[in-house]
Amino acid sequence: MKTHTHRHPTFRIKRLTRVTLLGSALVTPALLMGINPAITSVMAADNGDQTDHDGHDHAQSASDGSDTVTRWTCPMHPQIVEEEPGSCPICGMDLVEKEFPAEEAEQAANEAPESTSNDEGNDQAESSDDGGETVTRYTCPMHPQIVEEEPGSCPICGMDLVEKEFPAEEAEQTTESSANEDAHEGHDHAQSASDGGDTVTRWTCPMHPQIVEEEPGSCPICGMDLVEKEYPASEVGGGKSDSGQEVPSYPSVSVDPITVRHMNVVISEAAERQLAGEIRTVGTVGYDEDRLAHVHPRAEGWVETLKVASIGASVKQGDVLLEVYSPDIVSAQQDYLVALRRGMDDLIESSRARLELLNVPKATIDRIRQQRKVTRTIPLLAPQDGYVAEIDLREGMYIRPDMELYTIARRDQVWVNVDVLERRMQSVGEGQTARMHVDGVPGREFEGTVDFVYPELDPQSRTLRVRLVFDNEDGLLRPNQFAEVTLSPANAPEVLTVPSTAIIPAPGGARVVVRTGEGRFRPMVVETGVEAGGYTEIVSGLEAGDQVVASGQFLIDSESSVQAAFSRLSGSSGSETSKEKDSSGNGQSGHQH
């Protein structure tokens, strides 16, 4: 439908100036993205801001010394300036009081009546000459697509419809299209109600859709009464997080499908995944303490001969470590020989068992039985293969059973103790695979397993100690070596994750951009967890199945942030203005329907 109207020249200049200022001040990403609702919201907010800015200019000019006069103007049509209170002849809104410089007020008073009446006359004459027959219809000043055959109110903003002459053919087409739009709009609402899940009730301004409040009231920008509207719960956001902190909400953004393709927007779904992230840590190589052997004497005595006298010496099981003279062992040998000479079987068995308990080798006992002679020194044998890790004796020393003479360690297997950060301790368990590199063996990767996870955290470093086991048949690994270890978690629990590229870090908390519908997006504040394998855990803020933008989300997020900023600025300035008017008693608020 084409509507032939003429605007006052002053209105055109002001509107062009307003759009120009908008473009220069914002350099809006919405213009680059083709986001129509965003432009509407920003221009609507700019109209309110412009009114405040105009008032600031007038106040500044008044403070500079020029005379001012009081006039009444329409907040939505600033070209309407009257000398007395009343209503706007275009939209019917109550005129509000405003200070004008004397020269501007006089010029507006001289130009407005003649220009307005002449333009209206030209409009009617032109429409009469060009269109032939005309019919009377009623339309909304703010929503010209609403055309009714009878007086009433606008179904969108609630404003009173105004009478207007339309060409007969054009009026018929407009009425049909309006009816179709109403039917389609009702179908859309029904479909959104069936598909959108839970909805919440909010109050918004018909002229400034970025103003969304939880309770009824008036618009802080234009003063119109807020109207009730149903929003999908996922689009409204806000509220409180699980921890009780306030979660900021961001307005939704509509993006044209063509622009979405040009932005290379990639959509990914939040899903339950197993974060099998590797854990990198460091540790030291140590003895396998389960395979250490400690050598103690069973009786007091003196070291007669020291066969193995240095640390690191390799020994085999059964090798003689030292020879000991012990009076207790000599006395036990004599009892054994007496039992043999008397042929007392019970005494023979008991005396032989006593020698064995004193750690006398079996071969030595057999030699005593054959020779029927006491042996002065008794050999002490190595209990296993390995090497001497510790030694604490010399020849001639007096030894007792409480003394540790040797510590013999095996080299075919080693332990590696590593520390794991507290936040990753749930990803460590016995049996996991471990890979290790040591500086002493470059280019070689050793494979082992997690043998034991200690039950306590280190009180100083706040880390969890984990013990690993590695085979060392070739003896390349040596105790006290520094090792770099990588743990591969197994059987990790599934958690809700999104691609790490979808996370937008911010001081107030991480955000993701969620697609709430075809061409509609909204930033959501989320709480993140661990990151592994290109995915990040989402602790709160999303649910499984939510569609997030994994690429190209920064432009959408910045556009939503701009809208939220304008909404907050407009709301705060409007509230302050309303308070000032209420306190002075001169302002008039509200919209007359």
Side-chain angles (χ1 to χ4, degrees), residues 399-419:
I399 57 176
R400 301 182 308 272
D402 60 344
M403 294 178 62
E404 182 178 324
L405 306 182
Y406 291 93
T407 299
I408 299 176
R410 298 184 60 173
R411 303 183 62 177
D412 57 343
Q413 187 168 289
V414 296
W415 282 358
V416 177
N417 292 314
V418 298
D419 295 326

Side-chain angles (χ1 to χ4, degrees), residues 531-574:
E531 178 182 356
Y535 290 91
T536 299
E537 178 187 3
I538 301 298
V539 179
S540 62
L542 291 178
E543 294 181 357
D546 289 344
Q547 295 183 336
V548 300
V549 181
S551 176
Q553 71 274 28
F554 288 96
L555 287 177
I556 301 175
D557 180 70
S558 63
E559 174 61 25
S560 179
S561 299
V562 168
Q563 291 192 30
F566 268 106
S567 176
R568 290 191 295 268
L569 292 173
S570 301
S572 61
S573 62

